[in-house]
Amino acid sequence: LEADGRVAAVTADHTVDEDCEARAKAAGGEVRCAEVGGITARRVFLPGQPFPGIMMGRSLGDLVAHQLGLLAEPELALGLALPHGGAVLLATDGVWEHMATEEAAALCTARVADGAAPAEAARELVEAAQARWSPLQSDDITAVLVLADGAAAGAA
């Protein structure tokens, strides 16, 4: 994020594309379109099972997903300039499924400008995202905000 809250860079979503589908099938999984939590997407499943139903091609720490061909290696971007006063906002798909990037950036930037610690801004972002999910269905919702000047970082 720029110091004024503008979004400077966005990573690619790792959806279940053709490469992911080929890896899943080669590992014995299946890909089908399904609705979970109000979101319809191509998802990876154990054959004939209703789980894991993951709708991304990369997952850190999901051992079943890894057995089904999903990648565990993160995508890295090197050489990104972080101007003084800017920030890095990392969040799971539980945030991004119901909140636009610009909205999340504006929320965090405004809270930090009002004097909130990065952890507090990240917590409020998580709470705002959680409020948009159905009470009976939710996803993992995690956010980390790191100020580029190195003064502070916070996670929720």
Side-chain angles (χ1 to χ4, degrees):
L1 306 176
E2 300 285 344
D4 63 3
R6 287 180 295 132
V7 176
V10 177
T11 60
D13 286 339
H14 297 287
T15 58
V16 179
D17 59 15
E18 291 176 5
D19 291 339
C20 176
E21 182 171 3
R23 286 191 313 273
K25 287 181 177 179
E30 65 183 30
V31 173
R32 57 184 188 264
C33 193
E35 183 270 328
V36 175
I39 300 167
T40 301
R42 290 169 38 93
R43 297 172 182 274
V44 177
F45 294 90
L46 285 166
Q49 300 296 317
F51 59 88
I54 193 163
M55 62 183 226
M56 60 196 75
R58 293 179 191 252
S59 175
L60 301 177
D62 188 327
L63 299 179
V64 173
H66 298 166
Q67 292 172 356
L68 294 174
L70 273 69
L71 301 176
E73 299 82 22
E75 180 179 301
L76 301 175
L78 303 175
L80 295 175
L82 297 175
H84 182 78
V88 175
L89 173 60
L90 306 169
T92 60
D93 62 327
V95 171
W96 305 125
E97 290 302 327
H98 292 291
M99 187 172 282
T101 305
E102 293 77 11
E103 182 183 6
L107 185 153
C108 289
T109 302
R111 292 300 297 127
V112 169
D114 288 342
E120 179 67 16
R123 185 184 60 74
E124 290 186 28
L125 175 62
V126 165
E127 289 173 355
Q130 177 67 49
R132 297 180 185 192
W133 283 87
S134 163
L136 299 178
Q137 293 184 320
S138 182
D139 200 351
D140 60 309
I141 304 175
T142 304
V144 177
L145 181 65
V146 180
L147 300 185
D149 61 10

